[in-house]
């Protein structure tokens, strides 16, 4: 009888079982690596979200003053404040009691109907009588110059309570708009959002948890308050979450508490 080269049925079974074990082990490693990568990606994304939220809220809210009326609305998940925008510097003394000045351009142009604050100095030798006068811009001439530099001839609203000698060269003009920061939802996800007066919500950072933004308002003694003019500090808690699971079987999530000292 002639011999035949090949594998016996038992040998094929042994090789098949060995191959299944090797493939299963490799697949397990790949699945574990994928889970680790997904968890690490979620952690990095959450950290970036927290840092972004902290930077945005700190930059905006540290310019706010509770006693000066900059907080228009406060709640647990949102706060509405006066957001400072363009500004200029009065570059010439105007006639006593007038509502028209020339302002040096220091950034984007001021615009007609802007709400603005104008610094009233009165006596340059003391800060005790300094005040911010709230008014609006009635008209503008953007072809003017101050010392050869671009400027605007500004006519403020007739109801502006400008006292004699209250505004002079060097005074600051700052425009503002009401801006709301808080928790917003888009489709099925939540974000730290921003909305200007009359506008729609825009996401700033996220996605975050469904309870991802919480505000607390503290007075000068650090006690909670609900009175806008008593607020000296704003404490914001930002929370992130994801569907990723870490090595301990827990959902990947993080949080950050920031306390913002406001200007006096």
């Amino acid at each position: 009888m002639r011999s035949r080269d090949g594998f016996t049925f038992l040998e094929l079974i042994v090789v098949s079982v060995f191959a299944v074990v090797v493939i299963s082990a490799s697949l397990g490693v790949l699945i574990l690596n994928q889970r680790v990568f997904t968890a690490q990606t979620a952690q990095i994304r959450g950290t970036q979200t927290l840092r972004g939220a902290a930077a945005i809220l700190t930059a905006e809210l540290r310019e706010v003053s509770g006693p000066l009326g900059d907080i228009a609305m406060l709640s647990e998940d949102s706060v509405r404040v006066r957001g400072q925008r363009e500004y200029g510097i009065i570059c010439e003394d105007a006639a006593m009691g007038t509502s028209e000045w020339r302002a040096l351009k220091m950034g984007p142009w001021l615009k007609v109907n802007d709400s603005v604050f104008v610094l009233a100095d009165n006596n340059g030798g003391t800060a005790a009588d300094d005040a911010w006068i709230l008014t609006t811009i009635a008209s503008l001439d953007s072809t003017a110059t101050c010392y050869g530099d671009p400027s605007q001839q500004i006519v403020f609203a007739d109801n502006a309570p400008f006292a004699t000698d209250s505004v002079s060269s060097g005074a600051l003009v700052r425009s503002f708009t009401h801006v709301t920061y808080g928790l917003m939802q888009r489709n099925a996800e939540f974000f730290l959002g921003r909305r200007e007066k009359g506008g729609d919500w825009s996401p700033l950072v996220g996605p975050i948890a469904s309870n991802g933004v919480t505000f607390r308002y503290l007075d000068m003694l650090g006690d909670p308050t609900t009175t806008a003019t008593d607020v000296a500090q704003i404490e914001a808690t930002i929370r992130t979450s994801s569907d990723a699971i870490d090595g301990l079987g827990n959902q990947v999530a993080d949080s950050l508490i920031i306390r913002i000292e406001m200007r006096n």
Side-chain angles (χ1 to χ4, degrees), residues 90 93 101 118-133 161-172:
I90 301 297
D93 291 335
W101 283 271
V118 184
L119 180 63
D121 192 1
N122 289 297
N123 183 355
T126 176
D129 62 348
D130 293 358
W132 287 98
I133 297 176
F162 293 118
T164 300
D165 278 345
S166 63
V167 178
S168 58
S169 178
L172 188 63

Side-chain angles (χ1 to χ4, degrees), residues 145-158:
T145 59
C146 275
Y147 314 115
D149 294 322
S151 67
Q152 292 177 299
Q153 193 74 23
I154 303 174
V155 178
F156 296 105
D158 293 337

Side-chain angles (χ1 to χ4, degrees), residues 83-160:
Q84 302 296 332
R85 293 299 177 257
E86 295 81 15
Y87 71 99
I89 296 177
I90 301 297
C91 57
E92 63 179 2
D93 291 335
M96 295 170 59
T98 187
S99 291
E100 181 174 351
W101 283 271
R102 186 169 298 186
L104 184 66
K105 181 178 183 290
M106 301 301 295
W109 290 111
L110 295 164
K111 299 178 292 295
V112 174
N113 296 324
D114 272 358
S115 298
V116 297
F117 283 107
V118 184
L119 180 63
D121 192 1
N122 289 297
N123 183 355
T126 176
D129 62 348
D130 293 358
W132 287 98
I133 297 176
L134 175 62
T135 183
T136 57
I137 295 178
S139 64
L140 286 168
D141 177 6
S142 298
T143 63
T145 59
C146 275
Y147 314 115
D149 294 322
S151 67
Q152 292 177 299
Q153 193 74 23
I154 303 174
V155 178
F156 296 105
D158 293 337
N159 61 351

Side-chain angles (χ1 to χ4, degrees), residues 5 17 43 54 70 80 82 124 157 185 220 233 255:
D5 295 330
V17 171
Q43 289 173 342
D70 287 342
R80 183 180 304 130
R82 289 171 176 159
Q185 183 176 3
M220 293 189 66
Q233 301 175 14
S255 65

